[in-house]
Structures are given as C-alpha cells and as structure tokens.
C-alpha cells in the first residue's frame, strides 16, 4: 500500500513599494549625502576633524558632482587663506585617484601649485583629466599660480583673520573726519578687505574705517 502525503504549497509574499506623500519623504541635503559618500572624512586628506561642504569653483549651484567634503585646513589652503603646507598635500598621492570629479579637479590644481616639488610633478604627470574636467580645472587659473600666497598680515608678520582683535601701533588721522585713532587703540572683530592684503576694516568710536595692516598688531 502506497501512502501519499499532500503538502500545502508555501505562499510567497510579494512586497509592494510604499509611496509616501511628499510631506513624508526624507529629503537629504547635498552636504548630508556627501558626508555619507565620504564616510564623514575629508575627501582630500582623509581627516575626520572639522569637515564640511566645499564647492570646487567656479560654480553657480552646489551639487553632488561639483562639491566635496573637505576639512578646514584643506579649505583654508584651497582658498589661499593660509600658507600652503606642501607636506599636508602629499595626501593627494592617494586621493587624486578618486572617482569623484571635483576631487580630481582640485587635486590637479593643487599639484600644479606645488609642481616645484618632485612628488607633485610626478603625480601631475600621472593624473589624467578628460577634456571636460580639464576645462573646469583651468577655469580658475589656479594652475598658473605657485605655492606663494598673499595674506593679510600685521606689522609683525602675523596672519590676520576676519573677527580678530588688533591694537593700533600708530596714531592715525581719519580722512574726512575729526576722528583721531590713537596709538594703542584696540579694535575688535576686524574684517579683511578683499583683493587688498594691505587693508582691513574696523570700528572705532562707532565709525567703520579702513586701516593699513602695517599699523596694527594682532592680539593673540
């Protein structure tokens, strides 16, 4: 006698996509998406300290393609707000091979600025950019510059930054005003004058005046 056992076929559940109303969708910012992409590290030097969004100029809008995550040190040197530290940029030996277009473009520019260093020149020879990326990389003219950086400096050669506090090293007459800014006057929260490293702006007795950097000393 043959016994036959019938088994019930297992039902396979089909998962249907859930469509949330627009108000319920999570919309991530460019910076959030790039932090995920980079693992919350600088995409140039791999630092995890003080990282944020940086758009490779020139740009009219921030997108995933033209932005990277970069640390404060990299950003300051990219924007020429800090002396160029060639040892710091040896990191490009590895990160220039990134698949991110903006990283490639920035690496090409920085290697050009450091081209007098043998390691930078060697890597520049190996770094290939297609025509579109090369046009983007050359757009700022940074590749024509060297490692020298023009910075706002006080009378002692100390680098000045926006928001610094300085003291006058000479009494100054303000043109078109009866104001006399005396030697030793403290000026807080200064602002650097763009495109002129010899001038800063500061408020003295309620008036915002332009002050020559050679007549100030930074209070540290």
């Amino acid at each position: 006698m043959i016994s036959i056992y019938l088994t019930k076929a297992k039902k396979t559940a089909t998962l249907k996509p859930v469509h949330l109303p627009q108000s319920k969708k999570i919309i991530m910012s460019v910076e959030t998406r790039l932090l995920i992409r980079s693992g919350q590290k600088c995409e140039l030097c791999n630092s995890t300290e003080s990282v944020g969004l940086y758009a490779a100029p020139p740009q009219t809008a921030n997108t995933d393609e033209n932005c990277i995550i970069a640390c404060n040190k990299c950003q300051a040197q990219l924007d020429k707000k800090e002396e160029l530290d060639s040892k710091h940029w040896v990191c490009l030996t590895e990160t220039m091979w990134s698949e991110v277009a903006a990283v490639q473009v920035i690496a090409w520019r920085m290697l050009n600025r450091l081209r007098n260093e043998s390691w930078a020149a060697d890597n520049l020879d190996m770094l290939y950019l297609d025509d579109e990326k090369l046009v983007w990389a050359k757009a700022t003219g940074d590749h024509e510059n060297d490692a020298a950086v023009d910075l706002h400096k006080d009378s002692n050669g100390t680098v000045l930054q926006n928001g610094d506090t300085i003291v006058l090293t000479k009494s100054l007459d303000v043109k078109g005003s009866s104001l006399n800014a005396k030697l030793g006057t403290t000026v807080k929260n200064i602002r650097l004058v763009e495109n002129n490293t010899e001038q800063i702006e500061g408020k003295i007795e309620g008036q915002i005046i332009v002050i020559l950097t050679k007549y100030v000393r930074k209070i540290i």
Side-chain angles (χ1 to χ4, degrees):
M1 182 176 178
I2 300 175
S3 299
I4 300 175
Y5 297 91
L6 299 177
T7 58
K8 294 182 179 180
K10 293 182 179 179
K11 294 182 178 180
T12 303
T14 302
L15 298 178
K16 296 182 179 180
V18 178
H19 297 285
L20 295 176
Q22 186 66 30
S23 59
K24 297 293 185 181
K25 289 183 179 179
I26 300 175
I27 301 175
M28 292 189 293
S29 66
V30 172
E31 183 170 17
T32 300
R33 291 195 298 272
L34 266 56
L35 283 169
I36 294 172
R37 179 182 78 186
S38 66
Q40 300 186 38
K41 294 180 181 180
C42 174
E43 295 183 89
L44 298 171
C45 73
N46 289 320
S47 172
T48 58
E49 297 183 5
S50 303
V51 296
L53 191 70
Y54 181 84
Q59 299 300 342
T60 56
N62 293 346
T63 68
D64 292 16
E65 291 72 32
N66 63 32
C67 293
I68 66 169
I69 294 298
C71 67
N72 284 351
K73 185 176 182 66
C74 283
Q75 293 197 35
Q77 295 188 26
L78 287 171
D79 292 338
K80 303 176 184 176
K81 295 179 180 178
E82 184 178 298
E83 296 285 359
L84 199 56
D85 178 2
S86 61
K87 292 181 180 179
H88 174 79
W89 292 101
V90 174
C91 59
L92 293 178
T93 300
E94 295 181 4
T95 54
M96 72 179 196
W97 302 111
S98 168
E99 294 181 359
V100 178
V103 173
Q104 297 173 25
V105 166
I106 291 173
W108 188 86
R109 291 173 180 169
M110 295 308 294
L111 290 172
N112 267 283
R113 286 174 63 186
L114 293 162
R115 58 187 174 273
N116 290 330
E117 301 273 348
S118 59
W119 67 266
D122 290 342
N123 281 287
L124 189 58
D125 288 340
M126 292 187 287
L127 181 57
Y128 169 78
L129 299 184
D130 60 34
D131 291 344
E132 185 177 352
K133 292 192 189 83
L134 192 58
V135 169
W136 178 9
K138 290 181 177 181
T140 60
D142 279 351
H143 63 291
E144 298 175 350
N145 299 323
D146 55 21
V149 179
D150 290 329
L151 300 171
H152 289 74
K153 296 182 180 181
D154 70 3
S155 55
N156 293 327
T158 303
V159 176
L160 298 170
Q161 303 285 356
N162 285 317
D164 280 346
T165 297
I166 57 94
V167 61
L168 298 184
T169 59
K170 178 182 179 180
S171 295
L172 305 172
D173 291 323
V174 180
K175 293 181 179 180
S177 170
S178 60
L179 176 65
N180 177 263
K182 296 183 179 180
L183 167 70
T185 299
T186 298
V187 184
K188 299 180 179 179
N189 196 29
I190 65 167
R191 190 185 72 81
L192 308 182
V193 175
E194 291 187 12
N195 303 319
N196 191 334
T197 57
E198 296 182 353
Q199 296 181 346
I200 61 172
E201 289 184 347
K203 183 179 289 187
I204 298 179
E205 295 184 13
Q207 295 187 45
I208 296 177
I209 65 171
V210 174
I211 308 169
L212 296 180
T213 54
K214 63 182 179 181
Y215 297 139
V216 308
R217 176 173 56 81
K218 180 175 179 177
I219 296 178
I220 301 175

